[in-house]
Amino acid sequence: MARATREAGNAPAIAFVAEAERCPVCDEALKVYKSRSRQVITLAAGSFRAVETLKQCGEDATHPIMGSNALARQVLPRQRYGYDLIVHVGCARYLH
């Protein structure tokens, strides 16, 4: 789920929380592991700060850490530019 806030003078911050509620391995409840943020630029939303909340199995720390699918659909991991912007630039480069 994404939630937007605006800090004074900065791009809006949009919160992305991992959608999963249960561990995919053992079906135990997930707990918040950590939050991380990065600057993201897309054609659709412009420039914003994405704050992603990661979740981890509450019983076994070796199980996978779950991130936000909503953020993953917009931008590659550890990258700044959204898929829509990458496609736009690629098309402009080869079609114009």
Side-chain angles (χ1 to χ4, degrees), residues 71-89:
L71 182 59
R73 285 190 301 269
Q74 293 184 30
V75 64
L76 287 163
R78 296 177 298 282
Q79 299 299 313
R80 172 171 288 189
Y81 302 106
Y83 291 119
D84 61 347
L85 184 59
I86 293 169
V87 169
H88 178 76
V89 170

Side-chain angles (χ1 to χ4, degrees), residues 42-76:
T42 66
L43 281 178
S47 179
F48 63 93
R49 191 169 59 90
V51 180
E52 183 179 25
T53 301
L54 304 175
K55 293 181 181 178
Q56 184 179 36
C57 180
E59 296 297 318
D60 191 342
T62 63
H63 291 177
I65 296 169
M66 308 300 289
S68 171
N69 293 330
L71 182 59
R73 285 190 301 269
Q74 293 184 30
V75 64
L76 287 163

Side-chain angles (χ1 to χ4, degrees), residues 5-77:
T5 60
R6 182 172 284 279
E7 296 176 359
N10 293 332
I14 302 177
F16 293 90
V17 179
E19 296 82 5
E21 296 294 329
R22 312 292 295 174
C23 176
V25 177
C26 66
D27 202 41
E28 289 292 325
L30 295 176
K31 64 178 184 176
V32 173
Y33 174 65
K34 70 176 181 178
S35 293
R36 60 184 178 191
S37 67
R38 61 184 161 141
Q39 191 71 25
V40 174
I41 302 169
T42 66
L43 281 178
S47 179
F48 63 93
R49 191 169 59 90
V51 180
E52 183 179 25
T53 301
L54 304 175
K55 293 181 181 178
Q56 184 179 36
C57 180
E59 296 297 318
D60 191 342
T62 63
H63 291 177
I65 296 169
M66 308 300 289
S68 171
N69 293 330
L71 182 59
R73 285 190 301 269
Q74 293 184 30
V75 64
L76 287 163

